[in-house]
Amino acid sequence: MPHSDHTASPKHRAEVADSVETPQPAFPASIGTTLSGTPLKTVYTYEDLRDFDPKSSLGSPGEFPYTRGIYPTMYRGKLWTMRQYAGFGTARQSNARYRYLLAQGQTGLSVAFDLPTQMGFDPDHPRARGEVGKVGVSISSLEDMQTLFEGISLAQVSTSMTINSTAAILLALYVAVARQQGADLAKLSGTTQNDILKEYIARGTYIYPPRPAMRIITDVFAWCKDELPSWVTISISGYHIREAGSTAAQEVGFTLSDAIAYVDAAIAAGLRVDDFAPRLSFFFNAHNDLLEEIAKYRAARRIWARLMRDRFAARDPRSMMLRFHAQTAGSSLTAQQPENNIVRVAIQALAAVLGGCQSLHANALDEALALPTEDAARLALRTQQILAHESGVANTVDPVGGSYAIEHLTNEIEAGARACIERIDAIGGMLRAIETGYVQREIQKAAYEYQQTVERKERIVVGVNRYRTERQEPIPILRIDPAIEQEQVERVRALRARRDAARANKAIAEAESRARSGANLMPVILAAVEAYATVGEISDAMRRVFGEHQETLAL
């Protein structure tokens, strides 16, 4: 018969003691601030919004300044696109994962590429050693891209590709596959991240110096205007800025400053703002502070609408609408007690939905340890589906709008983000701010200050600096077979041996010549990939012209 054992073992008592820990103050010092350190009052009232004009600052959903959402009915008309960022190992392995996720109800693909692909190296390059297929799928040729999307109709699915330095090449590969499938390019839908500025700021997968890299991006803008009118040509990313340690206001301010630089560059290249701005999109982080995150998205929409109207004289309402994808915060996930990550991700995804995202990726519980397993990826997708179909939050547009606390926080983040933009303008724009290391230093400072609050236990991270457990049950993780690297090396070498070498070499030479001439690169890149030139070969052709960027240390 079950009974209570009051003589537990010393080991058991130690585990229990560690999980309970010494009594702590009920509320840490940071309870009076948001996650980003913005001071919070205990309660907000009408007095906190005395100068607030709902008509000019809020409006209605689908109307300028789009604070309450870019569409009148939002999710009542169409749910957000559920994308689960995925890719690992070989193209065939990733293809199987994509088909599995689509079968589970995912409504859009999101492709993760390995580091060699992102950096423009083929699998047999010495600098690719040890990284092939590790953090994403290895893609080096049209043959790989064909395999990646085998059995998936590109005419019927929207695909987001997280690729930057080699974005033009991967977009050309995608278009080449779509052509082979007989898809109507005018209707091809998807997004290339194509945001090189945040690579210099926060992520590091750059190849060329900033100015030629910006030239490639504006070439993509111009080419897509005529060839891929439904394609989103860039996803301007605050996600990685936040992952590097920025505050919420910095995430918005620095991201929109990047966007200003892209708009300026496109206009300088001869494009009309309303010809390309409707195909700009954004990518934001969804972090732990529920109210701050909701306010962040609302503030970003309002700032962007006014920037496009007042600074760039945009007239097309679509140019003023900030469309954004959100991903839950990878930096918030913990290797300790990884099952806690399920709760974190659910809160973060809720913030993105209440904030009006157009698409969303929910991280898996095991991503602090490895790439997600199939089961973990399915659970992350189910998190989105439960929010959509069971929580009720999608039934009303901007249900938190009008909350004293939410509107106050929205105003606070807007003010902080505008201050960031003004400082960068004063420096001479985002390119100059990156070259001087200003943005990097500001992010490093914010990251350090946050980490200090964790170290002092002013900011509680459950399972890390409080509520720890001595013993943890291991969870299954995905392991990438090291043999994949050799397989990919042999695959690319076999391709080079059997392709039409003269045609491929001619196409590579034309890409180099076009890079020197200043003419649009996209037509020759597309011709090169269709001649089975590799990602590394095309990247090297442009390296010979543009050189490689050397990082400026910001201390």
Side-chain angles (χ1 to χ4, degrees):
M1 180 176 179
H3 65 280
S4 175
D5 184 356
H6 296 288
T7 58
S9 69
K11 180 181 179 184
H12 175 74
R13 288 196 299 270
E15 289 172 359
V16 172
D18 190 65
S19 65
V20 175
E21 296 190 335
T22 305
Q24 300 285 343
F27 299 106
S30 62
I31 201 71
T33 69
T34 67
L35 186 67
S36 298
T38 301
L40 288 171
K41 294 174 66 174
T42 302
V43 64
Y44 289 90
T45 69
Y46 171 77
E47 294 296 316
D48 296 293
L49 298 176
R50 178 171 290 185
D51 299 324
F52 181 68
D53 178 9
K55 187 174 181 180
S56 63
S57 295
L58 289 183
S60 297
E63 295 180 5
F64 188 91
Y66 307 105
T67 310
R68 305 200 67 191
I70 62 173
Y71 302 123
T73 60
M74 288 300 287
Y75 307 136
R76 288 288 291 267
K78 180 185 177 183
L79 288 173
W80 64 92
T81 302
M82 298 180 193
R83 300 187 190 276
Q84 288 304 122
Y85 184 49
F88 62 93
T90 66
R92 191 159 303 284
Q93 289 174 309
S94 292
N95 172 264
R97 175 65 64 88
Y98 298 155
R99 293 169 74 166
Y100 171 79
L101 288 169
L102 289 170
Q104 296 299 313
Q106 179 172 297
T107 54
L109 296 177
S110 185
V111 183
F113 298 96
D114 71 357
L115 283 175
T117 305
Q118 294 181 51
M119 300 293 291
F121 297 118
D122 289 332
D124 59 346
H125 193 284
R127 289 174 66 179
R129 191 168 299 148
E131 292 294 341
V132 176
K134 288 292 178 66
V135 298
V137 61
S138 173
I139 299 292
S140 57
S141 71
L142 180 55
E143 182 179 76
D144 287 333
M145 206 68 157
Q146 290 164 335
T147 302
L148 187 66
F149 293 107
E150 187 177 302
I152 299 171
S153 172
L154 300 190
Q156 297 176 353
V157 70
S158 170
T159 303
S160 173
M161 295 190 285
T162 301
I163 197 71
N164 297 284
S165 291
T166 55
I169 304 171
L170 271 297
L171 176 58
L173 287 167
Y174 191 85
V175 169
V177 173
R179 279 180 166 181
Q180 291 177 345
Q181 291 185 356
D184 181 354
L185 297 188
K187 297 178 181 177
L188 203 65
S189 66
T191 305
T192 32
Q193 191 166 99
N194 202 25
D195 174 8
I196 199 60
L197 293 179
K198 65 92 175 48
E199 298 296 331
Y200 305 114
I201 294 170
R203 192 163 177 266
T205 62
Y206 45 71
I207 301 175
Y208 317 110
R211 295 180 192 277
M214 290 288 280
R215 175 256 178 110
I216 298 171
I217 288 170
T218 56
D219 282 358
V220 172
F221 287 180
W223 186 79
C224 287
K225 171 182 172 291
D226 299 320
E227 301 296 330
L228 297 181
S230 298
W231 193 264
V232 177
T233 52
I234 192 169
S235 177
I236 306 163
S237 176
Y239 181 86
H240 305 92
I241 291 171
R242 190 64 179 279
E243 290 290 281
S246 80
T247 66
Q250 286 174 332
E251 180 187 354
V252 174
F254 294 154
T255 303
L256 296 188
S257 289
D258 282 349
I260 289 167
Y262 291 125
V263 174
D264 281 337
I267 291 171
L271 301 177
R272 292 177 59 252
V273 67
D274 286 326
D275 285 342
F276 66 87
R279 289 185 305 283
L280 305 181
S281 69
F282 292 82
F283 174 23
F284 288 117
N285 201 293
H287 223 295
N288 278 338
D289 193 316
L290 181 70
L291 300 188
E292 181 175 59
E293 293 302 288
I294 296 169
K296 178 182 75 180
Y297 306 129
R298 301 168 88 253
R301 277 195 295 268
R302 191 156 71 204
I303 298 170
W304 182 244
R306 290 171 173 164
L307 276 172
M308 293 306 291
R309 183 192 67 181
D310 301 338
R311 182 166 180 161
F312 294 108
R315 294 293 174 261
D316 187 337
R318 297 175 304 159
S319 299
M320 306 175 206
M321 296 178 184
L322 185 147
R323 301 164 184 81
F324 77 95
H325 170 74
Q327 179 175 339
T328 58
S331 61
S332 75
L333 303 181
T334 62
Q336 302 92 329
Q337 302 176 31
E339 62 277 7
N340 293 344
N341 295 329
I342 299 171
V343 182
R344 293 186 178 101
V345 168
I347 292 169
Q348 294 162 6
L350 176 62
V353 171
L354 289 174
C357 68
Q358 277 59 67
S359 63
L360 175 62
H361 164 87
N363 286 330
L365 70 98
D366 53 358
E367 289 191 61
L369 300 166
L371 294 175
T373 64
E374 194 171 88
D375 288 345
R378 183 181 64 249
L379 180 58
L381 176 60
R382 293 288 184 259
T383 301
Q384 294 203 51
Q385 292 165 336
I386 290 168
L387 277 175
H389 300 295
E390 297 186 28
S391 72
V393 296
N395 295 339
T396 302
V397 182
D398 188 30
V400 297
S403 155
Y404 297 133
I406 287 289
E407 301 303 350
H408 177 80
L409 280 171
T410 302
N411 292 344
E412 288 288 295
I413 292 174
E414 179 177 10
R418 284 190 176 278
C420 289
I421 294 168
E422 289 167 4
R423 285 195 292 271
I424 288 171
D425 284 346
I427 290 170
M430 184 52 96
L431 277 173
R432 184 61 185 151
I434 291 169
E435 290 167 347
T436 61
Y438 167 76
V439 181
Q440 299 93 313
R441 285 192 299 273
E442 289 297 296
I443 294 171
Q444 288 169 7
K445 179 182 176 183
Y448 176 78
E449 289 174 352
Y450 171 78
Q451 186 59 35
Q452 288 296 296
T453 67
V454 174
E455 298 291 338
R456 293 191 297 263
K457 294 191 178 183
E458 294 170 2
R459 180 74 60 186
I460 301 305
V461 181
V462 174
V464 175
N465 65 356
R466 196 185 288 184
Y467 312 117
R468 297 187 300 270
T469 54
E470 186 76 17
R471 184 178 61 192
Q472 294 193 57
E473 295 297 325
I475 64 170
I477 62 172
L478 179 68
R479 299 187 186 278
I480 306 300
D481 186 348
I484 283 172
E485 181 166 322
Q486 189 56 37
E487 178 184 336
Q488 288 298 98
V489 167
E490 292 169 1
R491 183 177 171 88
V492 73
R493 288 176 177 171
L495 171 75
R496 293 195 197 107
R498 67 172 178 271
R499 71 187 178 187
D500 182 336
R503 180 186 173 203
N505 290 336
K506 180 182 177 183
I508 294 164
E510 287 176 352
E512 182 175 344
S513 175
R514 184 70 68 100
R516 294 185 191 283
S517 74
N520 194 299
L521 282 160
M522 281 303 298
V524 293
I525 291 175
L526 181 58
V529 302
E530 291 185 325
Y532 289 89
T534 67
V535 170
E537 291 168 335
I538 299 168
S539 299
D540 284 346
M542 292 189 282
R543 278 188 181 94
R544 290 191 286 272
V545 178
F546 301 141
E548 290 188 291
H549 177 67
Q550 300 300 315
E551 182 179 11
T552 300
L553 293 178
L555 300 174

